[in-house]
Amino acid sequence: MSNLSRRDAVKMVAGLGIVATGAGVIATRGSDSEAAAKPNQASNHPPAPDQQSEADANQIDKELRRAIENPFQYYFLEKVSFQAPKTNRAVFFTSAYGNPTRESQEERKSREERLSPSTLRVFRAIADQDDFTRQGGVYWKSEGTTGQIQFEHPGGLFLALFGPEGMVHCYSLFHLFNC
């Protein structure tokens, strides 16, 4: 679990206009994030990989570790939100991992990552599970209900925030500095 305090989390999402909405799956993408995520604009960062191999697993783990330790070094590119079935039950991401110390790809794929109510965590989407995840999709489940969200970049980092009203807000992350 991250050492990020609740106060720091509130500072991170301040000004994003998070509003509780009705039940159901809701996907929103802000116009500012769409402009920042255009692939034809010049950037010193390569796009997220479509396939994750064992050869670059160490780099991926270092990036995830850096995002967990200091999420303030990242921009929010896009936002995807959904309503959890119950506000007091955890949501599990079945196609993402949040522990940068796991070594094997199989171990990462076999574990469900827990997001408890009123918490936030940073995850890496698994981009080689099936066709949907190769296109930027992430699967989740909670209390017998399953769902899916989709980001523009497959295999990227995302921050998930489970609000007290039962909404789960997921933000794709883009590193500010490549030092």
Side-chain angles (χ1 to χ4, degrees):
M1 190 62 78
S2 173
N3 290 334
L4 188 64
S5 70
R6 184 174 284 196
R7 180 177 180 196
D8 290 340
V10 170
K11 283 197 241 177
M12 283 179 53
V13 297
L16 292 176
I18 297 174
V19 178
T21 58
V25 176
I26 301 159
T28 59
R29 295 181 184 188
S31 60
D32 293 338
S33 65
E34 288 174 5
K38 296 278 187 214
N40 59 355
Q41 293 179 351
S43 174
N44 61 351
H45 303 296
D50 288 336
Q51 296 289 327
Q52 297 175 359
S53 65
E54 286 295 324
D56 65 353
N58 289 337
Q59 175 62 32
I60 291 171
D61 290 345
K62 288 178 186 175
E63 189 177 353
L64 178 61
R65 181 177 291 125
R66 184 178 7 176
I68 290 170
E69 290 171 357
N70 193 355
F72 298 107
Q73 294 180 350
Y74 290 82
Y75 280 124
F76 293 159
L77 282 183
E78 60 184 314
K79 174 184 174 185
V80 180
S81 300
F82 62 92
Q83 177 71 40
K86 294 187 178 181
T87 59
N88 60 348
R89 299 286 186 210
V91 170
F92 295 90
F93 290 101
T94 58
S95 61
Y97 63 93
N99 186 352
T101 59
R102 285 199 197 99
E103 295 299 322
S104 73
Q105 291 278 335
E106 292 305 316
E107 189 178 353
R108 288 183 186 137
K109 291 179 187 178
S110 66
R111 180 140 190 242
E112 298 173 347
E113 292 290 340
R114 178 186 181 101
L115 180 65
S116 299
S118 299
T119 62
L120 69 98
R121 285 188 65 193
V122 176
F123 299 99
R124 161 82 65 192
I126 297 173
D128 60 355
Q129 187 169 330
D130 60 15
D131 288 336
F132 179 68
T133 59
R134 285 183 193 95
Q135 296 172 2
V138 176
Y139 295 106
W140 62 269
K141 70 177 189 174
S142 178
E143 290 294 309
T145 303
T146 60
Q148 55 192 19
I149 57 175
Q150 188 164 8
F151 293 110
E152 189 172 326
H153 300 288
L157 297 172
F158 68 96
L159 181 137
L161 171 69
F162 194 154
E165 75 284 355
M167 289 296 291
V168 178
H169 305 283
C170 300
Y171 303 92
S172 65
L173 300 177
F174 183 75
H175 193 254
L176 290 173
F177 309 110
N178 195 10
C179 299

